[in-house]
Amino acid sequence: MTETQTGVRGDSGPATAELVASRVLDVPDFPQPGVVFKDLMPLFGDGEVFRQVIDGIIAYHGRDSFDVVAGIEARGFVLAAAIAYATGVGVVPVRKAGKLPRAAYAASYALEYGEATLEVHQDAFTAGHRVLVVDDVLATGGTAEATLGLVEQAGGTVAGFSVLLELAFLGGRDRLAPRPVHALLTV
Ligand code: AMP
C-alpha cells in the first residue's frame, strides 16, 4: 500500500485513494451518537469518478478472476451491479433478513448494539463459481465475515473482497485474515 504526502492510502494506489477521499462526506453522530458515518453518495453521484472506481476494482482483481459478483445490502448493490454489467457476469444480492422469497442460508453476527442477519438464496451460486464480494465500507468486519461465510455455504468460492473505504482502526482487515481485503481508501 502506498501513501501520499497527505497520508491518503489505499490498495489501488494513492491516486485512486485520493479520488475516493474527494467524494466521501463525514456525517457525525449518524445513525447514532459517536458514529461518524462515511457517506459515499457523492461518489455514486459523480459519473466519472464512479466509473473510475468501478474500473479500479475490476482492474485490481482482473476481469477474468471472478464468475459472479455479490453485493451486500444496500450500497454494495450499486457497486456489484456496475461491476457485473461492465464484465458481463451476473450479480447476487446478499440481503438483510426476511427479504428473500425462497429458501435461503442465513448468518447472524454481533453489532455494537444487538445483532444483524444476512441471507442469500440457497441456489444463488453455481458450485465452484468464483465470487467477487463488494461493499461500500469495511468497519469491524462482521458484515463481511458473515457474507463470505454465506458465499461458501451456498457453494461459491470467494475470489476477492473489495470495499471503497476501510476504517482501519476498527480492525476489519485483521478479523478477515487470512482472506485478503482490497480497500480503495484506508483511513
Ligand atoms: P461492519 O460489519 O462493522 O464491518 O460494518 C460494515 C457495514 O456497515 C457495511 O455494510 C457499511 O455499509 C456499514 N457501515 C459500518 N460503519 C459505517 C460507517 N462508519 N459509515 C458508513 N457505513 C458504515
Side-chain angles (χ1 to χ4, degrees):
M1 199 182 291
T2 47
E3 199 166 323
T4 61
Q5 285 177 335
T6 51
V8 176
R9 63 194 173 109
D11 297 315
S12 284
T16 302
E18 292 274 16
L19 201 62
V20 175
S22 73
R23 294 293 184 281
V24 57
L25 292 175
D26 284 359
V27 184
D29 299 321
F30 184 88
Q32 58 198 40
V35 174
V36 178
F37 189 85
K38 298 291 184 177
D39 178 17
L40 285 150
M41 297 304 158
L43 185 150
F44 290 162
D46 184 322
E48 183 53 37
V49 173
F50 183 62
R51 181 185 290 247
Q52 286 185 49
V53 158
I54 294 299
D55 288 347
I57 294 172
I58 295 168
Y60 181 85
H61 296 284
R63 60 169 55 233
D64 295 325
S65 71
F66 52 92
D67 305 302
V68 64
V69 189
I72 303 174
E73 187 165 353
R75 291 175 295 274
F77 295 172
V78 178
L79 301 169
I83 293 167
Y85 183 77
T87 57
V89 304
V91 58
V92 172
V94 176
R95 300 221 58 183
K96 291 176 178 159
K99 303 284 187 184
L100 290 172
R102 293 182 293 106
Y105 294 119
S108 297
Y109 57 99
L111 295 175
E112 199 173 350
Y113 301 101
E115 204 184 56
T117 300
L118 289 173
E119 295 183 343
V120 69
H121 272 146
Q122 291 183 5
D123 63 359
F125 303 108
T126 302
H129 263 192
R130 300 163 301 165
V131 185
L132 175 61
V133 178
V134 291
D135 202 2
D136 63 336
V137 172
L138 174 66
T140 65
T143 304
E145 189 177 44
T147 300
L148 300 182
L150 279 175
V151 166
E152 289 174 344
Q153 190 180 2
T157 301
V158 176
F161 173 61
S162 284
V163 290
L164 300 181
L165 193 157
E166 169 195 15
L167 299 170
F169 65 96
L170 291 176
R173 191 181 285 262
D174 295 338
R175 179 171 180 168
L176 296 176
R179 299 178 189 277
V181 170
H182 170 231
L184 295 179
L185 171 63
T186 297
V187 297

